Amino acid sequence: MAFLEINGVVKSFGGLRALQDVSFSVRQGEIRAIIGPNGAGKSTLFNVMTGLFPPDSGEVVFDGVRITGVLPFRIIRMGIGRSFQITNIFPRMTVFENVQVALFAHHRKSRNPFGMARRYPSVAAEALAILGQVGLSEKHELSASILSHGDQKRLEIAISLASRPRLLMLDEPTAGMSRFESRETVELLRTISREQGLTLVFTEHDMDIVFGISEKIVVLQQGGVIADGTPAEIKANPRVRKAYLGEETTES
Amino acid sequence: MDLSFLTVQVLSALRQAAFLFLISSGLTLIFGVLNILNFAHGSLYMLGAYFIYALTLHLTGPAGFVIALLAAPLGVAVVAVVIEMGLLRRIYVQEEIYQLLLTYSLVLIIDDLAKIVFGPEYKSIPKPDAISGAITIFGGTVPVYTLLVLGLAPAMALVLWYLLYKTRTGKIVRATSSDREMADALGINMSALFTLVFAFGAILAGFAGALAGPARTVFPGVGTEVIIESFVVVVIGGLGNLWGALIGSILIGTLETVGIVVFPEFEMALIYLLMVAILVVRPWGLFGRPLKVKALSDKNLGMEAQEISPVHFSMHPLVRLIPLALLLLVPLMAGRFYQYLLTQILIASLVAIAFNLLLGTTGLLSFGQAAFYGVGAYTVGLLATKAGFTPLPALLLAPVSGAVAAGLIGFFCVRLSGVHFAMLTLAFGQLVFAIVYKWYGFTGGDNGIQGIPIRPLPGGIDIASTQAMYYFALAVVGISVEILRRMRSSPFGATLKSIRENSQRAEYLGVNVKLYKWAAFVAAGAFTGLAGGLYTLMEKSISPDMIHWTKSAEPVLMTIIGGIYSFAGPAVGAAVFIVLNSYLVAWTENWALVLGLILLGMVLMLPGGVVGFINEKARGALTKRGWVRKWLFSKSTAS
């Protein structure tokens, strides 16, 4: 049984088929990219996989458990973390608090209404460690809203890491970053995946990044899977070259 | 039931629906395009009625009446343009609540100005003889004026339909209403469009007022009655949806007419019950859709939002004890009047701080807190009068009943957020009001309960005395406030803040967002109920007035005056509010006007409130000196 399995997922919005019969599977510890032109259904697939809305048919199985139709907060508690395409942090809280509140949720301390939040030294240490991992420890007292775009993206990764996911799903983790910031982020993701045995599933527009770090790639077009394989296989696949790479590699 | 009776009732229902549609179509149009729920829309209706009243004093005869009927809405439009260009435009980039409050301040200002100019009494507007008679249809007597209304309102609706569906500007308005980003991308001049739509919505309200004035009467508070009715209509129909406004008007118009005939006792409650029933099934109304989360920048008028930073320095624990020490000493220095005033402030502070657990901490604007205040107050009042309870056990049950009420109401409300949440809490609050107001057998109805027996506390402490009551309230409020403060700085509070900042992200931390919103709502309801119980002990009499929605606006005002993102802010705001109220009422009849102006000034100039302002200045000045920082403040955290 694969770690993550997507079986025949179909999703329509009104008359528009956003996903048609999407199936693939991901091994534990794998770095997996989902690529495809704009409108191919990548974000929809992400949203179905993390419970934002259920598929019309098909299922998603994570570590042997069917998670289709499960509410997002429960999916997260099963060990899936996600980041969003549009930066999704808690803007008017400090950088430290952003991670701290995620840790409270992870350690099931959120419901404590009487203990003081700052009297949790273990949570504080853990938050600082995670911030160190993404290179934000020096900025932990700043309001998250004043961080640079790249730092906010990194903070979002830190927030996602705080729920100690076994599977991390990143929707365009380097969107809007400078080249330098992107390369740093990619390195960071690779290190985290290697050190913690974390499974990564991500979407990305930058083909250098996709082919640089992923172990396997699935290609979507118009809501369907047109190829699924290693970077070398994908590069050689004539359908992908015709439908996608041929037109798109010159861009970005 | 005979035909003549039926005819009269049907026409009366339709007339009511016609007025409602004229008002609510403008309200919903403005919401659709500007994304502002205009509290002052009822006041614009009132202005329409007053304008036609003033005009018909000089213009007589049928021709004069027609001119007045057309000129009055145009006068209202002029007022609306001034409001939009002079005030509203400055705060489009602020959070929703500031727009809501700005329009609320206009309600206070316009209503009081109307009182100054036209006097507090009811005015009736003379109709020309040609349309003041009645005719007989199917044996029923129907005023000619009703038929005129039934002709003119659909005509106006047709004009509206033509403008929206057949003209280029109308198409732009509809496009903006359904997808603002797209409209932005098309390079539409938003500023001009907003002014136009606001003015047009005002014309509809003004026309409704001018048309309804001669049929009903007009008085300074009519706006606040009308606005609630039209809120119900647009919320039932779906905010921003014109068809929804039409169907909603017909539903409410019919229900009001049927209600008066069949259940005269509970006519008012029926309307809110219908609204609640519809929203339970369709949270966004019959024709409504979930609103996209609108970011500040969505309005994109090339303005910078004045960010109100919730990052504060918290006070050193010892510094926080100073106000408590001072409060303990007050009775040594001050007489009974001041002790009574302070007791009022303490109770109001508790309401406002509990309210701000929702607004400032969780980002939920509740417009129904008066319901829980009333439930707590009536719990103590009824237990003391009917079951002979002593104060302590009765008071202990006040937060319980407040929590139960909040638990039930919150169950339906927490699915929503933003304006929808505010409207649903408002509707539930009014439902509670309507029940208490009419249930003579149990609650005493609009008479309330007077002379509630307050027995001494154990140990013979008689809280009927002002000083004992003051200390008792200080103890209860002090403990409650400390619990609320801890709640806010706890992991629970941090989680609520994360929901305020970004509820979707919070959900993706594994937080059950609805459950946390519900828990916050219940906690706020419990403390508000406790405050209501204290009120009963202090005043020894209660009335349904304390549940009316205008009472729910008070904690909102207090919180905005004091500061939304500081813990003490609402208490400071409560003090300012109560002191102003006590002194201004003695000094001027136009206390609402002064309050409205203060609120307007706060929203425009000090959106962070008094405490937010002091905090900002003090941070700059005080933290320069190391020792001051060390002793006064601890580390900065987000509030």
Side-chain angles (χ1 to χ4, degrees), chain A residues 47 50-52 71-74 76-77 82-84 87-94 97 100-102 104-106 109-120 140-141 143 145 156 159-160 163, chain B residues 95 307-311 314 317 320 483 485-514 516 565 634-639:
Chain A
N47 288 335
T50 52
L52 196 63
L71 291 170
F73 77 91
R74 293 196 203 282
I76 301 306
R77 289 181 188 176
R82 89 163 277 187
S83 77
F84 292 80
T87 313
N88 215 335
I89 54 172
F90 304 113
R92 295 178 307 171
M93 290 165 68
T94 67
E97 285 171 327
Q100 185 196 35
V101 76
F104 283 144
H106 174 62
K109 296 201 164 81
S110 305
R111 67 185 64 163
N112 179 353
F114 300 118
M116 303 293 271
R118 58 190 148 80
R119 303 247 171 85
Y120 282 88
H140 76 271
E141 278 194 311
S143 170
S145 58
E156 195 182 351
I159 294 170
S160 308
S163 48
Chain B
E95 287 165 68
E307 189 182 307
I308 311 153
S309 171
V311 178
S314 40
R320 280 202 304 265
I483 293 172
R485 195 186 65 79
R486 288 199 76 114
M487 222 179 237
R488 212 176 64 131
S489 14
S490 70
F492 176 69
T495 307
L496 294 182
K497 282 170 211 163
S498 76
I499 292 171
R500 170 193 78 199
E501 287 299 302
N502 188 340
S503 65
Q504 184 193 45
R505 181 74 249 191
E507 184 93 24
Y508 279 98
L509 298 180
V511 170
N512 186 346
V513 168
K514 280 177 206 155
Y516 277 79
Y565 293 126
S634 43
K635 217 183 207 173
S636 65
T637 47
S639 290

Side-chain angles (χ1 to χ4, degrees), chain B residues 386-435:
Chain B
K386 304 211 166 179
F389 270 55
T390 55
L392 274 186
L395 188 65
L396 277 176
L397 286 173
V400 175
S401 58
V404 170
L408 285 172
I409 293 175
F411 178 80
F412 299 108
C413 297
V414 296
R415 291 187 295 173
L416 301 172
S417 53
V419 172
H420 286 95
F421 179 86
M423 288 303 105
L424 193 53
T425 49
L426 177 70
F428 270 112
Q430 284 295 93
L431 178 61
V432 173
F433 169 75
I435 293 170

Side-chain angles (χ1 to χ4, degrees), chain A residues 203-242:
Chain A
T203 68
E204 186 54 64
H205 272 297
D206 185 331
M207 288 305 132
D208 289 344
I209 293 177
V210 170
F211 287 99
I213 70 166
S214 42
E215 290 158 15
K216 284 185 89 180
I217 299 170
V218 60
V219 187
L220 290 183
Q221 193 194 14
Q222 287 172 356
V225 176
I226 59 165
D228 179 1
T230 62
E233 285 167 358
I234 296 297
K235 267 186 185 158
N237 186 317
R239 272 188 83 186
V240 177
R241 294 179 72 92
K242 184 163 170 289

Side-chain angles (χ1 to χ4, degrees), chain B residues 64-130:
Chain B
F65 187 78
V66 170
I67 294 171
L69 192 60
L70 295 177
L74 293 177
V76 177
V78 172
V79 175
V81 169
V82 171
I83 291 173
E84 200 278 337
M85 294 182 74
L87 303 171
L88 274 178
R89 182 173 289 189
R90 300 175 51 172
I91 57 159
Y92 283 139
V93 286
Q94 298 287 18
E95 287 165 68
E96 258 170 3
I97 173 175
Y98 289 97
Q99 295 149 15
L100 215 62
L101 281 170
L102 191 142
T103 62
Y104 185 74
S105 75
L106 293 174
V107 173
L108 298 172
I109 294 169
I110 295 174
D111 284 13
D112 239 20
L113 283 178
K115 193 159 50 173
I116 293 171
V117 175
F118 297 102
E121 61 279 351
Y122 284 62
K123 301 274 187 208
S124 53
I125 295 144
K127 294 183 283 268
D129 292 339

Side-chain angles (χ1 to χ4, degrees), chain B residues 232 252 255-256 259-260 263-277 427-439:
Chain B
V232 171
I252 294 297
L255 193 67
E256 280 179 350
I260 289 171
F263 315 98
E265 286 275 284
F266 289 102
E267 173 239 331
M268 218 176 15
L270 273 183
I271 295 165
Y272 299 114
L273 265 180
L274 174 73
M275 171 172 175
V276 165
F428 270 112
Q430 284 295 93
L431 178 61
V432 173
F433 169 75
I435 293 170
V436 173
Y437 190 79
K438 291 284 187 178
W439 198 354

Side-chain angles (χ1 to χ4, degrees), chain B residues 445-521:
Chain B
D446 56 355
N447 301 319
I449 307 172
Q450 273 84 37
I452 297 165
I454 307 296
R455 293 202 245 150
L457 296 182
I461 303 163
D462 184 12
I463 52 170
S465 93
T466 310
Q467 181 164 333
M469 184 61 213
Y470 170 73
Y471 277 120
F472 182 66
L474 182 60
V476 174
V477 172
I479 293 166
S480 306
V481 166
E482 178 60 16
I483 293 172
L484 281 163
R485 195 186 65 79
R486 288 199 76 114
M487 222 179 237
R488 212 176 64 131
S489 14
S490 70
F492 176 69
T495 307
L496 294 182
K497 282 170 211 163
S498 76
I499 292 171
R500 170 193 78 199
E501 287 299 302
N502 188 340
S503 65
Q504 184 193 45
R505 181 74 249 191
E507 184 93 24
Y508 279 98
L509 298 180
V511 170
N512 186 346
V513 168
K514 280 177 206 155
L515 182 67
Y516 277 79
K517 279 159 89 173
W518 185 78
F521 198 72

